[in-house]
Amino acid sequence: MGGSLNANHLMFLGYGALWTIGLSLIGLLGGGIAGFIVALCRISPSRIVRLLSAGYVQLIQGTPLLVIMFLTYFGLPALGVTVSPLMAAGASLTIFVSAYLGEIWRGCFESVPKPQWEAAEGLALSRSQRMMKVILPQAIRIATPPTVGFMVQIIKNTSLASVVGFVELARSGQIINNSLFEPFLIYTIIAVIYFALCYPLSRFSHRLEMRGGPARIELEAA
Amino acid sequence: MHKITRTDAASSVVGLSDVHKSFGALKVLNGVSFEVNRGEVLVLIGRSGSGKSTALRCIDRFETIDSGEIVVCGHRVSDPKLDLRALRQDVGIVFQSYNLFPHLTIEENITLAPCSVKGISKAQAKEQARRVLAQVGLEDKLHQYPEQLSGGQQQRAAIARSLAMQPKVMLFDEVTSALDPELTGEVLKVIEALAADGMTMVMVTHEMGFAKGIANRVVFMHHGKVHETGPAAILTSPATPELAQFVGAGL
């Protein structure tokens, strides 16, 4: 038996929590960049591009993140590409997040009132000018609350990286439990840490939504 | 202000001939033809659903047509290879819902297109913004945001934004329909001043009194066709029973 919970164990958990945050940031950054491209493709004037990007979103949203992790970590080496747990987890999260954020942001682009697009067109602005100077600034205001809200999903989903041997918060809890056999205590601590990471984001998202509400109504009226 | 760049048919700015347009099974334009000469004010009237707004939107290619031809300032609008941005530099359009950009100040709303499309300097664009705002009586609103303005002021700012692109023709799509009578008055005054300056205009409006005063030509649309057309006088002495009924109901 492994004795009782001590400071070293807690430090190990803290270290795991840091990796959870790090992996979340990788997912947010990578998925954010890829998701932005997906969103642009989803509203592209080209039908082919729209269809392909819609297919990508459907495919990824219809695949469990766990399976994406398995594919990148175990599948790619079978094809001769070796990947580290960090690379596999980061790439999987990036793919996963890109489909969801792409879809959330597509909705935000489309909820900028149509007359705004027309007014920009009527002024002879090019497509990229309309996007950058008229639509994007308004879409960002709409997109902020749901994006912050989705970060909660990213943080929780990083726990799946434990299956490819990536030592983040959940995996470090497992490791400690393997020596201490105190599952209730240890997993409660894990749950509390996840909650402490997620709850402020949920609150923040909610506050943004409340603040964004009136501004959005004005946008629609204009 | 009004440079003539073409020598042939120099006086025709907008020409529609036998324009057809359907939305699915619904025929909206059923062989519409009319012409607008330089300096002329053409007023499109008709019931809701008569096709007048669609006809106006076709001029700026916000709708594509099924058959017929539209020529605007020398651009063949019906040509699939049309240079859309060149067309829209020549045509200014003002909408019922103003459509100012809410995240930009009035000055930024006005300078955006001249700077990004025509590539004029910031300083020049700001100077011009002041000028067009003075034209619509809003020179003190330069640094305000659209939401800080009344509806009438927003619509005048939207007109100023269009003017800053120095269009050869202005389209007005029911620009006072969202305004109360007092605010309508201040917008109509601006449009009257533009007409007096010689701006070529096509407008859809339900303000019959205003149409009478400003129109060089009135086009009455009915079931997707030009049912009756003529000088403003047809509003007081209509030739067809449909127009008689329409103006009777409109006054």
Side-chain angles (χ1 to χ4, degrees):
Chain A
M1 292 288 163
S4 63
L5 194 70
N6 61 35
N8 283 334
H9 293 129
L10 290 178
M11 265 182 61
F12 189 64
L13 283 181
Y15 194 66
L18 280 182
W19 271 115
T20 287
I21 294 171
L23 193 55
S24 301
L25 290 178
I26 291 172
L28 180 69
L29 198 70
I33 293 168
F36 184 67
I37 296 168
V38 170
L40 288 181
C41 290
R42 291 284 280 114
I43 57 168
S44 159
S46 153
R47 204 177 122 80
I48 296 280
V49 173
R50 279 202 311 273
L51 280 175
L52 283 176
S53 54
Y56 171 79
V57 169
Q58 288 300 319
L59 186 71
I60 302 303
Q61 289 195 345
T63 312
L65 176 58
L66 190 65
V67 174
I68 302 176
M69 295 248 182
F70 281 155
L71 267 173
T72 47
Y73 189 65
F74 300 113
L76 287 182
L79 299 176
V81 188
T82 40
V83 284
S84 67
L86 175 62
M87 273 168 66
S92 302
L93 264 174
T94 293
I95 293 168
F96 173 79
V97 170
S98 71
Y100 282 89
L101 277 187
E103 204 57 9
I104 291 172
W105 290 345
R106 174 192 63 82
C108 294
F109 280 134
E110 285 176 350
S111 60
V112 174
K114 186 126 190 294
Q116 288 284 316
W117 300 68
E118 285 195 339
E121 273 186 76
L123 288 168
L125 296 172
S126 69
R127 186 172 166 81
S128 61
Q129 288 167 343
R130 296 199 296 266
M131 213 58 207
M132 297 309 293
K133 293 178 174 162
V134 177
I135 304 305
L136 196 57
Q138 299 185 54
I140 286 174
R141 272 169 74 171
I142 303 170
T144 308
T147 304
V148 173
F150 186 69
M151 282 169 66
V152 172
Q153 302 300 323
I154 300 178
I155 291 176
K156 289 191 293 184
N157 275 306
T158 56
S159 62
L160 289 171
S162 56
V163 300
V164 297
F166 186 81
V167 185
E168 37 63 70
L169 182 55
R171 180 78 187 131
S172 52
Q174 264 176 347
I175 292 170
I176 292 174
N177 185 52
N178 285 346
S179 67
L180 293 184
F181 302 112
E182 292 262 26
F184 189 76
L185 172 66
I186 289 166
Y187 289 125
T188 301
I189 294 172
I190 301 292
V192 167
I193 297 177
Y194 273 116
F195 182 78
L197 290 176
C198 295
Y199 183 68
L201 283 174
S202 295
R203 290 293 304 168
F204 183 47
S205 166
H206 186 67
R207 269 207 9 230
L208 285 172
E209 223 169 289
M210 301 306 283
R211 213 187 313 156
R216 223 177 317 161
I217 290 160
E218 277 157 23
L219 282 181
E220 265 143 36
Chain B
M1 180 155 178
H2 299 281
K3 275 178 248 136
I4 304 166
T5 49
R6 291 161 303 114
T7 46
D8 57 316
S11 64
S12 172
V13 178
V14 176
L16 280 74
S17 55
D18 198 27
V19 170
H20 289 256
K21 161 89 189 164
S22 305
F23 290 119
L26 184 70
K27 259 205 146 320
V28 189
L29 301 179
N30 203 356
V32 172
S33 306
F34 59 77
E35 196 135 329
V36 188
N37 293 326
R38 193 154 39 82
E40 240 185 5
V41 177
L42 183 136
V43 175
L44 283 165
I45 57 169
R47 282 199 200 105
S48 304
S50 60
K52 56 192 191 310
S53 266
T54 306
L56 187 89
R57 289 169 57 83
C58 285
I59 295 173
D60 209 8
R61 250 284 282 270
F62 278 114
E63 309 289 351
T64 49
I65 62 176
D66 301 335
S67 67
E69 187 165 65
I70 301 179
V71 178
V72 178
C73 303
H75 306 281
R76 288 193 56 235
V77 178
S78 30
D79 187 342
K81 290 197 289 282
L82 166 77
D83 182 350
L84 255 185
R85 295 182 63 202
L87 168 73
R88 285 168 178 166
Q89 284 189 51
D90 286 343
V91 181
I93 185 161
V94 183
F95 305 89
Q96 179 181 340
S97 50
Y98 339 131
N99 305 345
L100 291 169
F101 305 133
H103 59 294
L104 301 177
T105 63
I106 298 302
E107 182 180 59
E108 290 164 341
N109 261 279
I110 295 174
T111 56
L112 174 63
C115 286
S116 357
V117 178
K118 296 199 161 172
I120 71 171
S121 73
K122 262 255 142 60
Q124 251 182 306
K126 284 185 177 186
E127 182 46 46
Q128 195 192 26
R130 252 182 291 279
R131 211 171 50 237
V132 289
L133 274 180
Q135 224 176 324
V136 300
L138 289 177
E139 52 272 66
D140 54 329
K141 304 295 183 195
L142 217 50
H143 301 296
Q144 308 227 342
Y145 284 89
E147 63 186 20
Q148 296 170 289
L149 271 56
S150 74
Q153 290 170 335
Q154 288 193 45
Q155 193 57 292
R156 280 147 63 197
I159 293 172
R161 181 174 68 176
S162 260
L163 286 175
M165 287 297 281
Q166 298 175 309
K168 294 179 180 143
V169 54
M170 290 276 283
L171 310 178
F172 295 92
D173 189 5
E174 292 194 38
V175 294
T176 59
S177 296
L179 302 173
D180 67 37
E182 193 185 345
L183 299 181
T184 296
E186 65 182 52
V187 172
L188 295 184
K189 239 180 257 162
V190 166
I191 299 176
E192 266 164 10
L194 280 178
D197 268 359
M199 176 62 82
T200 310
M201 302 194 269
V202 182
M203 65 179 76
V204 170
T205 184
H206 289 298
E207 302 286 332
M208 289 305 135
F210 174 68
K212 242 176 256 176
I214 199 171
N216 298 110
R217 193 128 48 91
V218 173
V219 167
F220 171 60
M221 304 250 326
H222 189 63
H223 292 325
K225 284 185 172 163
V226 176
H227 196 75
E228 186 172 344
T229 177
I234 66 167
L235 292 173
T236 29
S237 46
T240 62
E242 288 79 6
L243 179 55
Q245 197 195 347
F246 179 74
V247 292
L251 289 176

